[in-house]
Amino acid sequence: QVQLVESGGGLVQAGASLRLSCATSSRAFSRFPVGWFRQAPGQDRDFLAAIDWSGGNINVADSVKGRFSISRDNSKNTVYLQLNSLEPEDTAVYYCAAQIYNIASPRSPTSYDYWGQGTQVTVSS
């Protein structure tokens, strides 16, 4: 039983920041690797960032490195994605995903079995 819920998206102007949250009620959440992805209309689902259960192994896509960062607070059963210096090209639905065991390819969406419904981020110019 793994349910993920994203929140924190919205409509912002270019240059603004948002913090997205991925929350779960699972007591085993502290052991889950978690990834963030985004998908724009007509586009593939692209990897953004991933974090392991301890927070010691982090991956961030080159395309957003320096602007986006990932963190987790296991006491709150929540993983965060901080979005800074947003641009109109960042407009997409943002998803979090989790797996219940260690994964070899955290940048691949096929590595995850559990997904949230997504939160919309829209950046205007």
Side-chain angles (χ1 to χ4, degrees):
Q1 183 180 345
V2 179
Q3 297 98 35
L4 305 174
V5 180
E6 303 97 335
S7 62
L11 173 62
V12 298
Q13 294 184 338
S17 297
L18 288 171
R19 188 180 71 165
L20 308 184
S21 298
C22 175
T24 182
S25 61
S26 175
R27 288 182 173 270
F29 181 77
S30 64
R31 305 295 298 181
F32 294 169
V34 174
W36 281 95
F37 298 79
R38 69 183 180 188
Q39 189 167 23
Q43 304 295 315
D44 293 334
R45 186 165 296 188
D46 292 331
F47 170 78
L48 296 173
I51 189 167
D52 75 347
W53 65 271
S54 71
N57 188 10
I58 293 174
N59 290 273
V60 181
D62 290 341
S63 60
V64 298
K65 189 173 295 183
R67 295 194 300 123
F68 294 3
S69 61
I70 189 170
S71 62
R72 70 189 302 162
D73 185 343
N74 288 335
S75 70
K76 298 180 179 179
N77 291 341
T78 302
V79 171
Y80 304 99
L81 186 69
Q82 180 69 40
L83 315 177
N84 294 327
S85 301
L86 285 164
E87 303 170 350
E89 293 76 18
D90 296 317
T91 295
V93 178
Y94 285 66
Y95 299 90
C96 68
Q99 189 56 279
I100 60 174
Y101 48 82
N102 290 333
I103 55 179
S105 302
R107 294 170 179 257
S108 173
T110 61
S111 294
Y112 302 90
D113 287 337
Y114 304 95
W115 293 81
Q117 294 185 353
T119 185
Q120 177 71 46
V121 172
T122 302
V123 185
S124 66
S125 59

mmCIF file of all heavy atoms in Angstrom, residues 71-117:
data_model
loop_
_atom_site.group_PDB
_atom_site.id
_atom_site.type_symbol
_atom_site.label_atom_id
_atom_site.label_comp_id
_atom_site.label_asym_id
_atom_site.label_seq_id
_atom_site.Cartn_x
_atom_site.Cartn_y
_atom_site.Cartn_z
ATOM 1 N N SER A 71 15.350 16.977 -1.638
ATOM 2 C CA SER A 71 15.638 16.660 -0.253
ATOM 3 C C SER A 71 14.495 15.829 0.307
ATOM 4 O O SER A 71 13.441 15.700 -0.319
ATOM 5 C CB SER A 71 15.838 17.930 0.581
ATOM 6 O OG SER A 71 14.657 18.718 0.589
ATOM 7 N N ARG A 72 14.718 15.248 1.485
ATOM 8 C CA ARG A 72 13.635 14.492 2.106
ATOM 9 C C ARG A 72 13.662 14.677 3.612
ATOM 10 O O ARG A 72 14.711 14.891 4.219
ATOM 11 C CB ARG A 72 13.696 13.011 1.726
ATOM 12 C CG ARG A 72 14.852 12.217 2.315
ATOM 13 C CD ARG A 72 14.928 10.816 1.689
ATOM 14 N NE ARG A 72 13.697 10.055 1.882
ATOM 15 C CZ ARG A 72 13.354 8.976 1.171
ATOM 16 N NH1 ARG A 72 14.155 8.542 0.193
ATOM 17 N NH2 ARG A 72 12.213 8.342 1.426
ATOM 18 N N ASP A 73 12.484 14.575 4.192
ATOM 19 C CA ASP A 73 12.306 14.627 5.629
ATOM 20 C C ASP A 73 11.520 13.386 6.008
ATOM 21 O O ASP A 73 10.296 13.350 5.892
ATOM 22 C CB ASP A 73 11.574 15.894 6.049
ATOM 23 C CG ASP A 73 11.486 16.047 7.553
ATOM 24 O OD1 ASP A 73 11.691 15.051 8.284
ATOM 25 O OD2 ASP A 73 11.208 17.171 8.012
ATOM 26 N N ASN A 74 12.228 12.359 6.420
ATOM 27 C CA ASN A 74 11.576 11.088 6.700
ATOM 28 C C ASN A 74 10.648 11.160 7.912
ATOM 29 O O ASN A 74 9.702 10.378 8.006
ATOM 30 C CB ASN A 74 12.618 9.993 6.901
ATOM 31 C CG ASN A 74 13.297 9.598 5.606
ATOM 32 O OD1 ASN A 74 12.733 9.763 4.522
ATOM 33 N ND2 ASN A 74 14.508 9.072 5.701
ATOM 34 N N SER A 75 10.903 12.076 8.822
ATOM 35 C CA SER A 75 10.008 12.230 9.961
ATOM 36 C C SER A 75 8.639 12.724 9.540
ATOM 37 O O SER A 75 7.657 12.515 10.257
ATOM 38 C CB SER A 75 10.618 13.172 10.999
ATOM 39 O OG SER A 75 10.649 14.511 10.533
ATOM 40 N N LYS A 76 8.565 13.388 8.381
ATOM 41 C CA LYS A 76 7.300 13.885 7.843
ATOM 42 C C LYS A 76 6.804 13.062 6.662
ATOM 43 O O LYS A 76 5.794 13.420 6.052
ATOM 44 C CB LYS A 76 7.440 15.342 7.423
ATOM 45 C CG LYS A 76 7.777 16.287 8.560
ATOM 46 C CD LYS A 76 7.899 17.717 8.064
ATOM 47 C CE LYS A 76 8.216 18.660 9.197
ATOM 48 N NZ LYS A 76 8.357 20.061 8.719
ATOM 49 N N ASN A 77 7.505 11.988 6.334
ATOM 50 C CA ASN A 77 7.148 11.145 5.186
ATOM 51 C C ASN A 77 6.997 11.977 3.916
ATOM 52 O O ASN A 77 6.047 11.799 3.147
ATOM 53 C CB ASN A 77 5.859 10.366 5.461
ATOM 54 C CG ASN A 77 6.026 9.302 6.518
ATOM 55 O OD1 ASN A 77 7.139 8.873 6.822
ATOM 56 N ND2 ASN A 77 4.914 8.856 7.090
ATOM 57 N N THR A 78 7.957 12.866 3.679
ATOM 58 C CA THR A 78 7.846 13.811 2.577
ATOM 59 C C THR A 78 9.184 13.981 1.874
ATOM 60 O O THR A 78 10.231 14.068 2.525
ATOM 61 C CB THR A 78 7.353 15.177 3.074
ATOM 62 O OG1 THR A 78 6.085 15.015 3.722
ATOM 63 C CG2 THR A 78 7.196 16.155 1.923
ATOM 64 N N VAL A 79 9.133 14.034 0.546
ATOM 65 C CA VAL A 79 10.269 14.396 -0.292
ATOM 66 C C VAL A 79 9.934 15.704 -0.990
ATOM 67 O O VAL A 79 8.808 15.900 -1.451
ATOM 68 C CB VAL A 79 10.592 13.284 -1.303
ATOM 69 C CG1 VAL A 79 11.628 13.760 -2.323
ATOM 70 C CG2 VAL A 79 11.118 12.049 -0.583
ATOM 71 N N TYR A 80 10.915 16.589 -1.085
ATOM 72 C CA TYR A 80 10.714 17.905 -1.655
ATOM 73 C C TYR A 80 11.519 18.081 -2.933
ATOM 74 O O TYR A 80 12.595 17.519 -3.093
ATOM 75 C CB TYR A 80 11.149 18.995 -0.673
ATOM 76 C CG TYR A 80 10.459 18.925 0.663
ATOM 77 C CD1 TYR A 80 11.080 18.331 1.753
ATOM 78 C CD2 TYR A 80 9.189 19.457 0.835
ATOM 79 C CE1 TYR A 80 10.449 18.265 2.983
ATOM 80 C CE2 TYR A 80 8.545 19.394 2.061
ATOM 81 C CZ TYR A 80 9.182 18.795 3.132
ATOM 82 O OH TYR A 80 8.550 18.729 4.353
ATOM 83 N N LEU A 81 10.987 18.895 -3.832
ATOM 84 C CA LEU A 81 11.731 19.366 -4.983
ATOM 85 C C LEU A 81 11.662 20.884 -4.986
ATOM 86 O O LEU A 81 10.584 21.454 -5.133
ATOM 87 C CB LEU A 81 11.174 18.808 -6.293
ATOM 88 C CG LEU A 81 11.989 19.150 -7.541
ATOM 89 C CD1 LEU A 81 13.336 18.426 -7.523
ATOM 90 C CD2 LEU A 81 11.218 18.794 -8.813
ATOM 91 N N GLN A 82 12.803 21.515 -4.787
ATOM 92 C CA GLN A 82 12.888 22.968 -4.800
ATOM 93 C C GLN A 82 13.177 23.435 -6.213
ATOM 94 O O GLN A 82 14.165 23.008 -6.824
ATOM 95 C CB GLN A 82 13.998 23.442 -3.849
ATOM 96 C CG GLN A 82 14.172 24.956 -3.803
ATOM 97 C CD GLN A 82 13.015 25.664 -3.148
ATOM 98 O OE1 GLN A 82 12.480 25.185 -2.156
ATOM 99 N NE2 GLN A 82 12.624 26.808 -3.703
ATOM 100 N N LEU A 83 12.325 24.301 -6.735
ATOM 101 C CA LEU A 83 12.451 24.841 -8.081
ATOM 102 C C LEU A 83 12.788 26.321 -7.972
ATOM 103 O O LEU A 83 11.993 27.100 -7.456
ATOM 104 C CB LEU A 83 11.162 24.669 -8.874
ATOM 105 C CG LEU A 83 10.451 23.312 -8.815
ATOM 106 C CD1 LEU A 83 9.156 23.366 -9.619
ATOM 107 C CD2 LEU A 83 11.361 22.208 -9.332
ATOM 108 N N ASN A 84 13.944 26.708 -8.470
ATOM 109 C CA ASN A 84 14.369 28.099 -8.444
ATOM 110 C C ASN A 84 14.570 28.612 -9.865
ATOM 111 O O ASN A 84 14.807 27.844 -10.788
ATOM 112 C CB ASN A 84 15.666 28.258 -7.654
ATOM 113 C CG ASN A 84 15.514 27.942 -6.191
ATOM 114 O OD1 ASN A 84 14.461 28.174 -5.601
ATOM 115 N ND2 ASN A 84 16.577 27.428 -5.580
ATOM 116 N N SER A 85 14.503 29.919 -10.009
ATOM 117 C CA SER A 85 14.741 30.580 -11.294
ATOM 118 C C SER A 85 13.921 29.945 -12.404
ATOM 119 O O SER A 85 14.433 29.610 -13.473
ATOM 120 C CB SER A 85 16.236 30.543 -11.633
ATOM 121 O OG SER A 85 17.005 31.185 -10.645
ATOM 122 N N LEU A 86 12.645 29.795 -12.153
ATOM 123 C CA LEU A 86 11.779 29.113 -13.108
ATOM 124 C C LEU A 86 11.665 29.876 -14.416
ATOM 125 O O LEU A 86 11.667 31.113 -14.443
ATOM 126 C CB LEU A 86 10.400 28.907 -12.493
ATOM 127 C CG LEU A 86 10.346 27.786 -11.452
ATOM 128 C CD1 LEU A 86 9.077 27.890 -10.616
ATOM 129 C CD2 LEU A 86 10.423 26.422 -12.132
ATOM 130 N N GLU A 87 11.556 29.115 -15.487
ATOM 131 C CA GLU A 87 11.440 29.640 -16.834
ATOM 132 C C GLU A 87 10.193 29.070 -17.489
ATOM 133 O O GLU A 87 9.696 28.025 -17.070
ATOM 134 C CB GLU A 87 12.685 29.259 -17.650
ATOM 135 C CG GLU A 87 13.984 29.728 -17.044
ATOM 136 C CD GLU A 87 15.201 29.132 -17.723
ATOM 137 O OE1 GLU A 87 15.037 28.205 -18.549
ATOM 138 O OE2 GLU A 87 16.318 29.603 -17.441
ATOM 139 N N PRO A 88 9.667 29.730 -18.527
ATOM 140 C CA PRO A 88 8.484 29.187 -19.197
ATOM 141 C C PRO A 88 8.683 27.756 -19.690
ATOM 142 O O PRO A 88 7.723 26.979 -19.719
ATOM 143 C CB PRO A 88 8.270 30.151 -20.372
ATOM 144 C CG PRO A 88 8.810 31.449 -19.866
ATOM 145 C CD PRO A 88 10.007 31.086 -19.031
ATOM 146 N N GLU A 89 9.906 27.393 -20.034
ATOM 147 C CA GLU A 89 10.203 26.037 -20.495
ATOM 148 C C GLU A 89 10.049 24.991 -19.398
ATOM 149 O O GLU A 89 10.038 23.795 -19.691
ATOM 150 C CB GLU A 89 11.612 25.981 -21.079
ATOM 151 C CG GLU A 89 11.798 26.765 -22.369
ATOM 152 C CD GLU A 89 11.884 28.265 -22.154
ATOM 153 O OE1 GLU A 89 12.132 28.700 -21.008
ATOM 154 O OE2 GLU A 89 11.699 29.016 -23.136
ATOM 155 N N ASP A 90 9.943 25.420 -18.143
ATOM 156 C CA ASP A 90 9.720 24.496 -17.034
ATOM 157 C C ASP A 90 8.258 24.116 -16.868
ATOM 158 O O ASP A 90 7.937 23.280 -16.017
ATOM 159 C CB ASP A 90 10.225 25.107 -15.728
ATOM 160 C CG ASP A 90 11.725 25.326 -15.725
ATOM 161 O OD1 ASP A 90 12.463 24.430 -16.178
ATOM 162 O OD2 ASP A 90 12.160 26.397 -15.258
ATOM 163 N N THR A 91 7.372 24.709 -17.635
ATOM 164 C CA THR A 91 5.949 24.415 -17.537
ATOM 165 C C THR A 91 5.688 22.947 -17.867
ATOM 166 O O THR A 91 6.060 22.465 -18.935
ATOM 167 C CB THR A 91 5.154 25.313 -18.476
ATOM 168 O OG1 THR A 91 5.291 26.670 -18.053
ATOM 169 C CG2 THR A 91 3.678 24.941 -18.470
ATOM 170 N N ALA A 92 5.063 22.239 -16.940
ATOM 171 C CA ALA A 92 4.821 20.812 -17.095
ATOM 172 C C ALA A 92 4.032 20.320 -15.887
ATOM 173 O O ALA A 92 3.844 21.042 -14.908
ATOM 174 C CB ALA A 92 6.133 20.033 -17.203
ATOM 175 N N VAL A 93 3.597 19.071 -15.971
ATOM 176 C CA VAL A 93 3.081 18.376 -14.803
ATOM 177 C C VAL A 93 4.254 17.674 -14.132
ATOM 178 O O VAL A 93 5.009 16.949 -14.787
ATOM 179 C CB VAL A 93 1.989 17.363 -15.173
ATOM 180 C CG1 VAL A 93 1.513 16.613 -13.934
ATOM 181 C CG2 VAL A 93 0.818 18.070 -15.840
ATOM 182 N N TYR A 94 4.407 17.886 -12.844
ATOM 183 C CA TYR A 94 5.516 17.327 -12.085
ATOM 184 C C TYR A 94 5.021 16.150 -11.257
ATOM 185 O O TYR A 94 4.026 16.252 -10.534
ATOM 186 C CB TYR A 94 6.129 18.394 -11.182
ATOM 187 C CG TYR A 94 6.974 19.384 -11.938
ATOM 188 C CD1 TYR A 94 6.390 20.254 -12.857
ATOM 189 C CD2 TYR A 94 8.352 19.442 -11.754
ATOM 190 C CE1 TYR A 94 7.162 21.151 -13.576
ATOM 191 C CE2 TYR A 94 9.129 20.340 -12.461
ATOM 192 C CZ TYR A 94 8.530 21.189 -13.373
ATOM 193 O OH TYR A 94 9.306 22.084 -14.073
ATOM 194 N N TYR A 95 5.724 15.031 -11.361
ATOM 195 C CA TYR A 95 5.350 13.793 -10.698
ATOM 196 C C TYR A 95 6.449 13.328 -9.756
ATOM 197 O O TYR A 95 7.636 13.452 -10.068
ATOM 198 C CB TYR A 95 5.132 12.665 -11.714
ATOM 199 C CG TYR A 95 4.038 12.901 -12.721
ATOM 200 C CD1 TYR A 95 4.308 13.521 -13.936
ATOM 201 C CD2 TYR A 95 2.740 12.477 -12.469
ATOM 202 C CE1 TYR A 95 3.312 13.724 -14.875
ATOM 203 C CE2 TYR A 95 1.741 12.679 -13.404
ATOM 204 C CZ TYR A 95 2.036 13.302 -14.607
ATOM 205 O OH TYR A 95 1.035 13.493 -15.534
ATOM 206 N N CYS A 96 6.052 12.750 -8.636
ATOM 207 C CA CYS A 96 7.001 11.998 -7.835
ATOM 208 C C CYS A 96 6.712 10.517 -7.979
ATOM 209 O O CYS A 96 5.592 10.102 -8.294
ATOM 210 C CB CYS A 96 6.989 12.420 -6.361
ATOM 211 S SG CYS A 96 5.497 12.013 -5.441
ATOM 212 N N ALA A 97 7.736 9.719 -7.769
ATOM 213 C CA ALA A 97 7.642 8.279 -7.921
ATOM 214 C C ALA A 97 8.501 7.604 -6.871
ATOM 215 O O ALA A 97 9.519 8.151 -6.444
ATOM 216 C CB ALA A 97 8.095 7.856 -9.326
ATOM 217 N N ALA A 98 8.094 6.409 -6.473
ATOM 218 C CA ALA A 98 8.813 5.676 -5.443
ATOM 219 C C ALA A 98 8.913 4.206 -5.806
ATOM 220 O O ALA A 98 8.119 3.681 -6.587
ATOM 221 C CB ALA A 98 8.119 5.834 -4.089
ATOM 222 N N GLN A 99 9.894 3.567 -5.232
ATOM 223 C CA GLN A 99 10.049 2.134 -5.337
ATOM 224 C C GLN A 99 10.278 1.583 -3.938
ATOM 225 O O GLN A 99 10.781 2.298 -3.055
ATOM 226 C CB GLN A 99 11.214 1.794 -6.277
ATOM 227 C CG GLN A 99 11.348 0.316 -6.634
ATOM 228 C CD GLN A 99 10.086 -0.248 -7.231
ATOM 229 O OE1 GLN A 99 9.149 -0.598 -6.496
ATOM 230 N NE2 GLN A 99 10.033 -0.359 -8.559
ATOM 231 N N ILE A 100 9.910 0.320 -3.725
ATOM 232 C CA ILE A 100 9.994 -0.260 -2.392
ATOM 233 C C ILE A 100 11.260 -1.079 -2.198
ATOM 234 O O ILE A 100 11.410 -1.747 -1.173
ATOM 235 C CB ILE A 100 8.748 -1.109 -2.071
ATOM 236 C CG1 ILE A 100 8.596 -2.263 -3.065
ATOM 237 C CG2 ILE A 100 7.508 -0.227 -2.072
ATOM 238 C CD1 ILE A 100 7.469 -3.203 -2.711
ATOM 239 N N TYR A 101 12.171 -1.008 -3.150
ATOM 240 C CA TYR A 101 13.464 -1.653 -3.024
ATOM 241 C C TYR A 101 14.509 -0.787 -3.724
ATOM 242 O O TYR A 101 14.173 0.138 -4.457
ATOM 243 C CB TYR A 101 13.452 -3.067 -3.610
ATOM 244 C CG TYR A 101 12.849 -3.177 -4.990
ATOM 245 C CD1 TYR A 101 13.591 -2.877 -6.123
ATOM 246 C CD2 TYR A 101 11.534 -3.584 -5.154
ATOM 247 C CE1 TYR A 101 13.030 -2.972 -7.386
ATOM 248 C CE2 TYR A 101 10.971 -3.688 -6.411
ATOM 249 C CZ TYR A 101 11.723 -3.382 -7.525
ATOM 250 O OH TYR A 101 11.162 -3.482 -8.780
ATOM 251 N N ASN A 102 15.772 -1.087 -3.484
ATOM 252 C CA ASN A 102 16.840 -0.334 -4.115
ATOM 253 C C ASN A 102 16.808 -0.516 -5.620
ATOM 254 O O ASN A 102 16.485 -1.596 -6.122
ATOM 255 C CB ASN A 102 18.194 -0.773 -3.571
ATOM 256 C CG ASN A 102 18.407 -0.356 -2.133
ATOM 257 O OD1 ASN A 102 17.841 0.625 -1.666
ATOM 258 N ND2 ASN A 102 19.239 -1.105 -1.424
ATOM 259 N N ILE A 103 17.139 0.532 -6.354
ATOM 260 C CA ILE A 103 17.079 0.517 -7.810
ATOM 261 C C ILE A 103 18.444 0.876 -8.391
ATOM 262 O O ILE A 103 19.198 1.663 -7.817
ATOM 263 C CB ILE A 103 15.995 1.464 -8.344
ATOM 264 C CG1 ILE A 103 16.207 2.882 -7.810
ATOM 265 C CG2 ILE A 103 14.617 0.952 -7.948
ATOM 266 C CD1 ILE A 103 15.193 3.882 -8.322
ATOM 267 N N ALA A 104 18.717 0.290 -9.550
ATOM 268 C CA ALA A 104 20.008 0.493 -10.198
ATOM 269 C C ALA A 104 20.030 1.737 -11.067
ATOM 270 O O ALA A 104 21.096 2.323 -11.270
ATOM 271 C CB ALA A 104 20.375 -0.728 -11.036
ATOM 272 N N SER A 105 18.875 2.145 -11.602
ATOM 273 C CA SER A 105 18.800 3.253 -12.551
ATOM 274 C C SER A 105 17.778 4.271 -12.084
ATOM 275 O O SER A 105 16.659 4.335 -12.607
ATOM 276 C CB SER A 105 18.446 2.739 -13.948
ATOM 277 O OG SER A 105 19.387 1.786 -14.398
ATOM 278 N N PRO A 106 18.122 5.082 -11.111
ATOM 279 C CA PRO A 106 17.129 6.025 -10.572
ATOM 280 C C PRO A 106 16.676 7.093 -11.547
ATOM 281 O O PRO A 106 15.660 7.746 -11.280
ATOM 282 C CB PRO A 106 17.864 6.656 -9.373
ATOM 283 C CG PRO A 106 19.317 6.474 -9.683
ATOM 284 C CD PRO A 106 19.405 5.160 -10.393
ATOM 285 N N ARG A 107 17.377 7.289 -12.646
ATOM 286 C CA ARG A 107 16.994 8.283 -13.638
ATOM 287 C C ARG A 107 15.952 7.778 -14.626
ATOM 288 O O ARG A 107 15.430 8.567 -15.417
ATOM 289 C CB ARG A 107 18.226 8.776 -14.399
ATOM 290 C CG ARG A 107 19.205 9.544 -13.528
ATOM 291 C CD ARG A 107 20.514 9.814 -14.249
ATOM 292 N NE ARG A 107 21.422 10.579 -13.404
ATOM 293 C CZ ARG A 107 21.668 11.870 -13.535
ATOM 294 N NH1 ARG A 107 21.083 12.559 -14.504
ATOM 295 N NH2 ARG A 107 22.501 12.479 -12.709
ATOM 296 N N SER A 108 15.629 6.502 -14.596
ATOM 297 C CA SER A 108 14.680 5.915 -15.531
ATOM 298 C C SER A 108 13.302 5.815 -14.897
ATOM 299 O O SER A 108 13.157 5.262 -13.806
ATOM 300 C CB SER A 108 15.143 4.534 -15.968
ATOM 301 O OG SER A 108 14.146 3.898 -16.751
ATOM 302 N N PRO A 109 12.254 6.306 -15.565
ATOM 303 C CA PRO A 109 10.912 6.172 -14.996
ATOM 304 C C PRO A 109 10.473 4.722 -14.824
ATOM 305 O O PRO A 109 9.641 4.444 -13.957
ATOM 306 C CB PRO A 109 10.019 6.915 -16.003
ATOM 307 C CG PRO A 109 10.810 6.968 -17.264
ATOM 308 C CD PRO A 109 12.238 7.045 -16.841
ATOM 309 N N THR A 110 11.018 3.804 -15.617
ATOM 310 C CA THR A 110 10.641 2.408 -15.494
ATOM 311 C C THR A 110 11.195 1.764 -14.234
ATOM 312 O O THR A 110 10.824 0.637 -13.916
ATOM 313 C CB THR A 110 11.097 1.609 -16.721
ATOM 314 O OG1 THR A 110 12.526 1.660 -16.833
ATOM 315 C CG2 THR A 110 10.486 2.175 -17.994
ATOM 316 N N SER A 111 12.050 2.443 -13.504
ATOM 317 C CA SER A 111 12.573 1.920 -12.254
ATOM 318 C C SER A 111 11.593 2.052 -11.096
ATOM 319 O O SER A 111 11.843 1.486 -10.033
ATOM 320 C CB SER A 111 13.875 2.631 -11.879
ATOM 321 O OG SER A 111 14.906 2.348 -12.806
ATOM 322 N N TYR A 112 10.522 2.780 -11.296
ATOM 323 C CA TYR A 112 9.574 3.085 -10.234
ATOM 324 C C TYR A 112 8.217 2.441 -10.505
ATOM 325 O O TYR A 112 7.715 2.490 -11.629
ATOM 326 C CB TYR A 112 9.396 4.595 -10.087
ATOM 327 C CG TYR A 112 10.688 5.320 -9.809
ATOM 328 C CD1 TYR A 112 11.472 5.789 -10.849
ATOM 329 C CD2 TYR A 112 11.112 5.535 -8.504
ATOM 330 C CE1 TYR A 112 12.669 6.450 -10.596
ATOM 331 C CE2 TYR A 112 12.302 6.192 -8.245
ATOM 332 C CZ TYR A 112 13.079 6.652 -9.294
ATOM 333 O OH TYR A 112 14.257 7.309 -9.037
ATOM 334 N N ASP A 113 7.632 1.883 -9.477
ATOM 335 C CA ASP A 113 6.321 1.250 -9.592
ATOM 336 C C ASP A 113 5.185 2.098 -9.032
ATOM 337 O O ASP A 113 4.019 1.821 -9.319
ATOM 338 C CB ASP A 113 6.309 -0.097 -8.879
ATOM 339 C CG ASP A 113 7.086 -1.161 -9.624
ATOM 340 O OD1 ASP A 113 7.260 -1.035 -10.849
ATOM 341 O OD2 ASP A 113 7.516 -2.137 -8.974
ATOM 342 N N TYR A 114 5.492 3.104 -8.244
ATOM 343 C CA TYR A 114 4.470 3.886 -7.561
ATOM 344 C C TYR A 114 4.614 5.350 -7.922
ATOM 345 O O TYR A 114 5.696 5.927 -7.806
ATOM 346 C CB TYR A 114 4.571 3.682 -6.045
ATOM 347 C CG TYR A 114 4.470 2.231 -5.668
ATOM 348 C CD1 TYR A 114 5.608 1.454 -5.487
ATOM 349 C CD2 TYR A 114 3.225 1.622 -5.531
ATOM 350 C CE1 TYR A 114 5.512 0.113 -5.175
ATOM 351 C CE2 TYR A 114 3.122 0.278 -5.218
ATOM 352 C CZ TYR A 114 4.266 -0.472 -5.043
ATOM 353 O OH TYR A 114 4.171 -1.803 -4.737
ATOM 354 N N TRP A 115 3.499 5.947 -8.351
ATOM 355 C CA TRP A 115 3.482 7.311 -8.862
ATOM 356 C C TRP A 115 2.355 8.111 -8.252
ATOM 357 O O TRP A 115 1.273 7.581 -7.985
ATOM 358 C CB TRP A 115 3.308 7.309 -10.388
ATOM 359 C CG TRP A 115 4.473 6.742 -11.120
ATOM 360 C CD1 TRP A 115 4.756 5.429 -11.328
ATOM 361 C CD2 TRP A 115 5.520 7.483 -11.753
ATOM 362 N NE1 TRP A 115 5.921 5.299 -12.047
ATOM 363 C CE2 TRP A 115 6.407 6.542 -12.321
ATOM 364 C CE3 TRP A 115 5.788 8.840 -11.900
ATOM 365 C CZ2 TRP A 115 7.548 6.924 -13.020
ATOM 366 C CZ3 TRP A 115 6.919 9.222 -12.593
ATOM 367 C CH2 TRP A 115 7.785 8.269 -13.141
ATOM 368 N N GLY A 116 2.606 9.389 -8.046
ATOM 369 C CA GLY A 116 1.539 10.295 -7.695
ATOM 370 C C GLY A 116 0.775 10.744 -8.926
ATOM 371 O O GLY A 116 1.104 10.384 -10.062
ATOM 372 N N GLN A 117 -0.250 11.549 -8.717
ATOM 373 C CA GLN A 117 -1.090 12.028 -9.812
ATOM 374 C C GLN A 117 -0.539 13.267 -10.486
ATOM 375 O O GLN A 117 -1.038 13.656 -11.539
ATOM 376 C CB GLN A 117 -2.507 12.293 -9.309
ATOM 377 C CG GLN A 117 -3.242 11.041 -8.873
ATOM 378 C CD GLN A 117 -4.681 11.310 -8.486
ATOM 379 O OE1 GLN A 117 -5.111 12.462 -8.409
ATOM 380 N NE2 GLN A 117 -5.432 10.258 -8.244
#
